[in-house]
Amino acid sequence: MSTDLTEPALTLSTPADILAAVPYIVGFHPTDSLVVIGLAGRVGQGEMRVCARWNLPLQPGTLRPLAALFARESITHLVAVGYGPGASVTPAVDEVMSVARWCGVTLCEVLRAHQGRYWSYVCDLADCCPPDGTPYDTSVSQIAAEATVQGLVALPDRSTLEATIAPLPGPVRLSMRRATADAVTAFRAGLAAAPDAGHFAQRFVADGLARVRTAIATSVSGGRVDDREAARLGLDLSVIRVRDEAWTLLDDAGQPAHLALWKDLTRRLEPRFVPPAASLLAMSAWRGGDCVLATIALERALAVNPDYSMANLLMHALQHLLSPKLLRDRMPSPAELDSAMGAPHAGWLLPLIGILDEKDEPAP
């Protein structure tokens, strides 16, 4: 079967091919996981419409949202792989097979992989699927070579993927800490000196909106904002209207630039300023089809602020296997935001003021 990974395509003809391809589809080598790949089209020429992963073991009923997903994406065929011992994989596989059959989705292959061997749940012929499993080695697969040539990456594990958006240490952290302190001092001084807090809020929001647009344009051109601008953006994005400006400006053509910008800020900003940037990173990753990175970014945001509404909204959408198109089609334009939210006022600054006195961890 063929899987359409946006632009790259891999032709998979055996269980070993599937096991070699999955790490490149999800971005890392899974362990204790269930991976479900939904295809639309004829057998042998299916286009990948869905790729979802869960940690194992699963709670009963976790996979019920798959039925709506299969219908929405017109899924006709399915491949699933469970990684781990049978006690945790088999109940999850039974559930996904039950949902697929109820939806009329053809099961092309359903595998369990563990300790270098695989077993098929749709084949019970001893000559091709022996009871003690079939050995496999993804490192020598032609599929792995093809995926690498096409620019796909399979990191060693999920923690390695998490590290790609972890806080930057050393001199970068020290520089950002100084830049953040300067930005906070300037904000406080400006607010204290302003004869009218409402007028100060209007000017601050206008500057923040302009800074967001400039930062996106810089990223589109392949550039990177300096520490001073990054620190200011951290303060800007704490204001919901400024953050939502960035959200509304995300489109499919500019998705890679948004992804690069918000990933960079998620790594560079001081922890208390991370939730807005990490949530924007999650939205960018989700729009690009990378649900795993989106989930990890949201975990970063919620670790700092468990009540951050944008992160909770997106996490809910991901957990219920919703399509990013549902939110994309409902996002207002900047002009509609202005109409709905009205003129900036001092109250808009309260979320920012509330985190100014929070203490960040010492720089590593």
Side-chain angles (χ1 to χ4, degrees):
M1 80 199 77
S2 295
T3 60
D4 183 358
L5 312 179
T6 306
E7 290 183 358
L10 302 175
T11 300
L12 314 179
S13 56
T14 67
D17 287 345
I18 294 170
L19 294 168
V22 166
Y24 292 92
I25 296 174
V26 301
F28 63 93
H29 290 268
T31 58
D32 297 315
S33 301
L34 174 69
V35 176
V36 173
I37 299 170
L39 307 168
R42 295 179 298 170
V43 176
Q45 297 180 338
E47 173 189 338
M48 189 179 78
R49 296 279 184 83
V50 169
C51 180
R53 189 199 71 89
W54 294 263
N55 291 328
L56 293 179
L58 291 181
Q59 293 295 322
T62 300
L63 302 180
R64 276 198 294 264
L66 279 174
L69 179 66
F70 290 162
R72 187 179 71 236
E73 300 297 332
S74 302
I75 300 302
T76 57
H77 299 80
L78 179 142
V79 173
V81 184
Y83 294 85
S88 61
V89 172
T90 299
V93 164
D94 286 344
E95 188 170 345
V96 76
M97 293 173 70
S98 175
V99 172
R101 287 167 177 151
W102 186 81
C103 295
V105 173
T106 301
L107 297 166
C108 295
E109 185 60 271
V110 182
L111 302 170
R112 178 172 76 88
H114 188 51
Q115 297 180 342
R117 291 179 173 272
Y118 70 79
W119 293 258
S120 174
Y121 288 90
V122 296
C123 175
D124 55 6
L125 300 177
D127 56 343
C128 68
C129 299
D132 58 349
T134 302
Y136 73 98
D137 183 357
T138 60
S139 66
V140 298
S141 169
Q142 180 63 29
I143 294 297
E146 291 177 8
T148 302
V149 167
Q150 296 187 50
L152 300 175
V153 175
L155 298 175
D157 49 35
R158 192 178 192 269
S159 63
T160 306
L161 183 58
E162 292 171 354
T164 65
I165 64 167
L168 291 172
V172 174
R173 177 59 47 220
L174 292 171
S175 177
M176 278 301 301
R177 189 146 293 180
R178 288 191 293 267
T180 302
D182 291 343
V184 169
T185 298
F187 172 83
R188 283 177 164 154
L191 181 58
D196 183 333
H199 180 70
F200 175 83
Q202 290 177 9
R203 189 173 69 252
F204 182 84
V205 169
D207 290 344
L209 295 175
R211 199 160 13 247
V212 163
R213 288 180 174 271
T214 299
I216 292 171
T218 298
S219 189
V220 167
S221 66
R224 182 173 182 259
V225 298
D226 61 25
D227 289 349
R228 183 168 172 267
E229 287 300 291
R232 288 181 172 183
L233 281 166
L235 273 65
D236 296 333
L237 293 168
S238 299
V239 177
I240 292 174
R241 174 63 185 86
V242 179
R243 180 207 66 192
D244 285 356
E245 180 85 359
W247 195 353
T248 62
L249 293 174
L250 175 60
D251 57 27
D252 291 337
Q255 184 269 339
H258 278 260
L259 187 72
L261 172 61
W262 307 127
K263 184 176 183 179
D264 180 43
L265 289 181
T266 297
R267 304 201 70 186
R268 291 164 67 192
L269 292 176
E270 293 294 275
R272 57 193 152 140
F273 297 106
V274 161
S279 298
L280 290 166
L281 168 60
M283 188 66 202
S284 301
W286 189 29
R287 283 282 292 268
D290 193 341
C291 294
V292 178
L293 179 59
T295 300
I296 291 172
L298 294 174
E299 290 171 354
R300 279 285 316 275
L302 294 172
V304 176
N305 183 358
D307 297 321
Y308 195 67
S309 59
M310 180 180 178
N312 279 301
L313 171 67
L314 294 179
M315 186 67 86
H316 177 83
L318 284 167
Q319 290 173 342
H320 286 78
L321 304 179
L322 301 181
S323 167
K325 187 176 184 296
L326 296 177
L327 288 182
R328 182 185 66 202
D329 292 346
R330 288 167 173 77
M331 283 302 298
S333 67
E336 289 170 333
L337 283 177
D338 287 337
S339 177
M341 299 183 70
H345 55 80
W348 285 17
L349 303 180
L350 292 178
L352 170 57
I353 293 171
I355 63 175
L356 290 182
D357 291 325
E358 293 181 10
K359 300 298 183 183
D360 294 311
E361 294 296 321

